[in-house]
Amino acid sequence: MKTAFLFPGQGSQAIGMGQALAEAFPAARAVFEEVDAALGQKLSRLMFEGPEAELTLTANAQPALMAHSLAVIRVLEVEKGLDLARDAAFVAGHSLGEYSALCAAGALNLAETARLLRIRGDAMQAAVPVGEGAMAALLGAEWELASEIAREAAQGAVCDVANDNGGGQVVLSGDKAAIDRACAIARERGVKRAIPLPVSAPFHSRLMAPAAERMRAALADAEIRAPQVPVVANVTAGPVSDPEAIRKNLVDQVCGSVRWRESMLWLGASGVTRFIECGTGKVLTGIAKRLVAGSDAVSIGTPEDVAAHGD
């Protein structure tokens, strides 16, 4: 039986995330303290107590989600004897979760990962003035139909497929007017629902080009090592272990599509039958169960989860 560890992306954050874990396990507290020190900010207090509006800011949500995910990994290592190199065939993370996966696999150290995600969050927020970009989820549309709708809606503006999450959920991103057109076209084409998303910027679209350049500069100075287990990259939906390929993928990922459906299908085809989502929420657990027939998928984010699923 092959196991893959999964790491959630933005949108899963919630007040109280990681708090019970920190109260129960010194290993978790140590992760939050190291992230706080790396950022020069009491991010853990914001995670535990809010306010929600501040936690939701991209520059805070991204390192916060990573911190909770890595706290879970460290607790499993100390309390349950997890050895990722021995116990995992692959790791994968959704958008910012790819940084969590790389950190868990030893390609990036924790402090560097926190700093990179703070830069990434700031850069993505600053790339497009608030109100000019938008994102929308098409429910009941597969990749091909969503791509057709995006092309038809663009009309000279940007309308890109940002996330292919599988199970008939595809997210579009781009100029607000184009996204509004795409929602209208989707309804005309029989898509079940077209839902504008409450996001602060058009992530994973060509409008993020300024952020990609900032990440290129930040990643050029980052020490990236070969991961202990292969990381399935968002932009290629395949495994990567070469540090320079990882560096390139992380730059390309800022504007590129998150090919999560293909990533999960690739993992299933590679023999993975067990998925363990580490951190906040259960979104990726649900997707894995839908996409990989017969798979066992669990999420671990609390002391109770560690006790129930940590072996």
Side-chain angles (χ1 to χ4, degrees), residues 220-242:
D221 298 329
E223 182 186 356
I224 301 178
R225 297 169 293 277
Q228 296 171 346
V229 296
V231 179
V232 178
N234 287 182
V235 294
T236 64
V240 61
S241 293
D242 174 68

Side-chain angles (χ1 to χ4, degrees), residues 281-307:
K282 301 180 179 181
V283 172
L284 303 183
T285 302
I287 292 174
K289 286 178 179 177
R290 286 198 305 272
L291 291 180
V292 184
S295 64
D296 172 36
V298 300
S299 55
I300 300 180
T302 66
E304 293 76 19
D305 295 336
V306 171

Side-chain angles (χ1 to χ4, degrees), residues 183-266:
C183 289
I185 293 167
R187 296 182 190 106
E188 292 168 4
R189 299 284 292 271
V191 173
K192 185 160 54 177
R193 294 180 72 193
I195 307 169
L197 298 179
V199 295
S200 54
F203 305 128
H204 297 291
S205 76
R206 286 168 285 166
L207 296 176
M208 289 286 108
E213 289 309 307
R214 281 188 62 184
M215 289 313 298
R216 190 186 310 279
L219 287 159
D221 298 329
E223 182 186 356
I224 301 178
R225 297 169 293 277
Q228 296 171 346
V229 296
V231 179
V232 178
N234 287 182
V235 294
T236 64
V240 61
S241 293
D242 174 68
E244 293 313 308
I246 290 170
R247 201 183 310 271
K248 180 181 185 302
N249 287 342
L250 290 177
V251 175
D252 293 346
Q253 187 217 58
V254 177
C255 295
S257 298
V258 177
R259 297 167 59 185
W260 195 252
R261 174 182 59 86
E262 293 171 87
S263 297
M264 291 300 98
L265 294 177
W266 186 90

Side-chain angles (χ1 to χ4, degrees), residues 22-41:
E23 291 170 351
F25 301 111
R29 288 197 297 277
V31 169
F32 296 130
E33 288 166 3
E34 186 173 347
V35 170
D36 287 351
L39 297 178
Q41 172 197 10

Side-chain angles (χ1 to χ4, degrees), residues 55 78 80 181 197 238 308:
L55 177 61
V78 172
K80 299 293 185 174
R181 285 193 295 270
L197 298 179

